[in-house]
Amino acid sequence: MDLNTVVEVQDARDRAPWRPGDAWLGGGTYLFSEPQPRLRRLVDLSRTGWTPVELRPDGSLEIAATCTIAQLSRFGKELTDRAAPLFEQCCRAFLASFKIWNMATVGGNLCNALPAGPMISLTTALDGRCLLLAQDGARRRVRVADFVTGAGRKDLAEGELLRSVTLPARALSCRTAFRQASLYGLGRSGVLVIGALDPVDGSFAITVTASTVRPVRLWFPLPPSAGALRAAIGSAVADGEWFDDIHGLPEWRRHMTVRFAEEIREEVTG
């Protein structure tokens, strides 16, 4: 779609004062999908040259905001860590064309903050941390689970940039399990639940996305009983936080979340 209110596209490497009507441009798959009447200038990140995915010496993984879904998928297939299958599972949860895969970015998926965003699911489940850069050069780190605060809402100040997401080495070594449900064969995720069992201390984490307006990550020092897991989900997700749209009613989303969480608990601890 043409954005007929945009009068300028600026290279992000050329620093200029941020002004009302500016927006960061990554892959643009969302920006160009619908009218953006408030926008006047796009600040293009495509030439920043950031390494898409990088393994650090400490074993952690840094994913640049500009990393495309296709790049992350290719990297995940070569990753030898135990949690590696989760990368492809979440990439496939897009159910998008190859054109979208080659343009859509990890950072864009997080910043759109849609409940069904599978990069939110992946990075929350693996205890990711966002690196945010302010216009004055200040840096701060925020857990992905806290970065997305609601449907379409995120902890991002005006002009602030999501630079990357870092996944700790310990999370990559976890045994994981993945469940996804949609009302349609090729529909948007209505429920997406991921479990992770830490091989070091036996702790267990369950991450709920798509069925809730924000990502919910529950951590247990030891795998809980079925009843304790069900109660923890009920306490963590308020009645108004079960997402309600054409892709699923809140009651169905709640039911499937609890069902999938129990299946995952049995799978990773069995």
Side-chain angles (χ1 to χ4, degrees):
M1 171 175 288
D2 291 337
L3 300 181
N4 57 15
T5 62
V6 173
V7 296
E8 182 182 355
V9 178
Q10 177 178 311
D11 191 324
R13 296 172 299 177
D14 301 328
R15 298 303 300 271
W18 191 264
R19 61 196 189 200
D22 283 358
W24 299 108
L25 172 62
T29 54
Y30 164 70
L31 280 180
F32 289 95
S33 69
E34 60 183 47
Q36 308 288 344
R38 70 174 189 85
L39 297 187
R40 300 294 180 269
R41 181 174 65 169
L42 300 179
V43 184
D44 186 9
L45 298 167
S46 64
R47 298 180 183 178
T48 53
W50 297 336
T51 302
V53 196
E54 185 175 12
L55 272 173
R56 291 177 164 181
D58 63 359
S60 64
L61 187 68
E62 184 178 39
I63 306 172
T66 50
C67 175
T68 66
I69 307 309
Q71 289 170 327
L72 187 65
S73 172
R74 288 194 292 269
F75 182 87
K77 291 174 182 176
E78 299 175 355
L79 195 63
T80 58
D81 294 272
R82 198 171 189 184
L86 195 59
F87 287 74
E88 186 68 7
Q89 289 169 327
C90 288
C91 287
R92 292 290 170 186
F94 266 101
L95 299 174
S97 70
F98 76 93
K99 293 183 288 185
I100 298 296
W101 266 48
N102 282 279
M103 292 300 296
T105 61
V106 173
N109 196 245
L110 266 70
C111 290
N112 276 344
L114 299 178
M119 295 298 98
I120 298 172
S121 310
L122 172 67
T123 53
T124 300
L126 296 180
D127 199 21
R129 263 64 172 175
C130 299
L131 173 60
L132 307 177
L133 307 180
Q135 287 294 303
D136 61 3
R139 297 183 169 211
R140 64 187 180 104
R141 292 190 181 272
V142 180
R143 294 174 66 238
V144 177
D146 299 322
F147 176 71
V148 178
T149 59
R153 302 200 311 268
K154 63 275 186 184
D155 179 14
L156 198 64
E158 181 70 19
E160 201 169 25
L161 171 67
L162 171 60
R163 167 62 178 85
S164 62
V165 179
T166 300
L167 309 179
R170 187 159 171 176
L172 296 172
S173 69
C174 289
R175 179 183 180 184
T176 62
F178 174 97
R179 295 290 190 282
Q180 178 197 22
S182 172
L183 290 178
Y184 316 100
L186 293 176
R188 179 180 295 179
S189 297
V191 183
L192 202 159
V193 184
I194 297 171
L197 184 68
D198 192 319
V200 177
D201 60 8
S203 62
F204 175 73
I206 198 86
T207 299
V208 178
T209 54
S211 58
T212 51
V213 297
R214 59 178 176 84
V216 176
R217 188 175 189 269
L218 302 173
W219 181 86
F220 304 87
L222 291 172
S225 65
L229 178 58
R230 187 183 311 110
I233 294 173
S235 297
V237 184
D239 289 342
E241 291 186 317
W242 295 103
F243 195 44
D244 183 5
D245 72 352
I246 194 173
H247 298 284
L249 293 173
E251 294 78 10
W252 173 75
R253 294 179 193 263
R254 180 190 297 111
H255 169 77
M256 293 303 296
T257 295
V258 172
R259 172 181 169 179
F260 283 163
E262 175 56 19
E263 289 181 5
I264 286 172
R265 185 190 71 87
E266 293 179 353
E267 177 179 331
V268 300
T269 62

